Amino acid sequence: MGLLLSELGGYICGFAHAPAGTKRISNLLRSKKWTSTIIDDFLFSQTRKRLESLVKQGKRPLMLWDDSRLEKAESWFLEGLCSVESAKAKRLTRIKKGYYSPPSKRICVPGYHWTSTLLSALGESVSVCQMSWWTTRGKYKEYGRNIIFRMLEKLQKQVGKGILHVLDRGYANEWTIEWFTN
């Protein structure tokens, strides 16, 4: 995390003055004067501009929906961690020649869930529209359906129609189809 912060600091103030840029980012992250809504608003303004550009070029905008999880297997003490299925453990416990009894149940580790929407078009790069990190435990407990519904509602209010939504298989259920057709 420190390396990433110093790298970002280099982009802000130039690489010769990376420590100064890093300090600015650090001060910003600790400041009580800003919230995540500032980032959300910025991402939406960029999305609207890019959407207009894609439409002017005659390209069909695609809104890609994806979700995943961030595994924090070595830490239990971060605020908001919940149980997430470990993709790494699943990969490492596949049956290999000479091993016959892998774990029978899924392996869970501490982590966060993540849901996002990305704007793109055929032949175009992807840009972030919305991103939400959430947990199923503790003070900030949230349900994935609520997150998805709020993200869709915000998209419909601020971006409007004319976008083709592309969902991964995790969204294949009745309530998602109902929300997207209303």
Side-chain angles (χ1 to χ4, degrees):
M1 202 56 149
L3 177 63
L4 178 62
L5 194 59
S6 346
E7 197 172 321
L8 288 172
Y11 284 111
I12 289 176
C13 292
F15 289 101
H17 304 285
T22 302
K23 182 153 177 114
R24 286 182 182 176
I25 293 171
S26 177
N27 289 339
L28 173 68
L29 292 175
R30 288 184 278 117
S31 173
K32 295 187 186 291
K33 295 181 180 179
W34 77 279
T35 63
S36 62
T37 56
I38 295 171
I39 296 170
D40 290 341
D41 293 344
F42 172 77
L43 290 174
F44 260 95
S45 69
Q46 296 295 96
T47 298
R48 279 193 292 272
K49 289 176 188 172
R50 181 145 190 243
L51 189 59
E52 289 172 10
S53 170
L54 291 172
V55 170
K56 283 180 185 175
Q57 294 173 22
K59 296 190 176 188
R60 175 99 189 245
L62 303 173
M63 190 60 67
L64 312 172
W65 289 75
D66 192 24
D67 59 335
S68 189
R69 59 201 150 285
L70 174 67
E71 299 174 24
K72 296 294 290 175
E74 294 82 27
S75 176
W76 276 104
F77 300 107
L78 290 174
E79 188 175 13
L81 289 176
C82 65
S83 177
V84 297
E85 189 173 355
S86 176
K88 182 178 181 180
K90 186 189 285 186
R91 191 173 56 253
L92 293 174
T93 56
R94 287 191 185 124
I95 296 177
K96 297 167 189 76
K97 191 174 184 175
Y99 295 92
Y100 300 100
S101 57
S104 59
K105 296 181 180 177
R106 67 187 192 136
I107 300 170
C108 293
V109 296
Y112 297 101
H113 294 277
W114 164 77
T115 304
S116 69
T117 57
L118 308 163
L119 179 63
S120 187
L122 291 176
E124 294 288 325
S125 62
V126 176
S127 60
V128 176
C129 176
Q130 298 179 90
M131 191 175 290
S132 181
W133 298 90
W134 51 280
T135 181
T136 57
R137 285 190 181 164
K139 182 173 152 182
Y140 301 104
K141 181 178 180 176
E142 193 60 77
Y143 295 100
R145 289 182 180 184
N146 294 346
I147 297 287
I148 295 165
F149 180 74
R150 283 197 300 265
M151 291 173 88
L152 179 60
E153 186 177 46
K154 187 172 182 178
L155 272 172
Q156 288 175 339
K157 285 181 182 175
Q158 294 197 19
V159 177
K161 303 214 182 257
I163 297 175
L164 178 63
H165 293 271
V166 180
L167 310 167
D168 75 359
R169 65 181 173 197
Y171 296 91
N173 53 51
E174 180 182 343
W175 55 266
T176 307
I177 294 169
E178 183 180 325
W179 287 348
F180 277 88
T181 56
N182 287 336

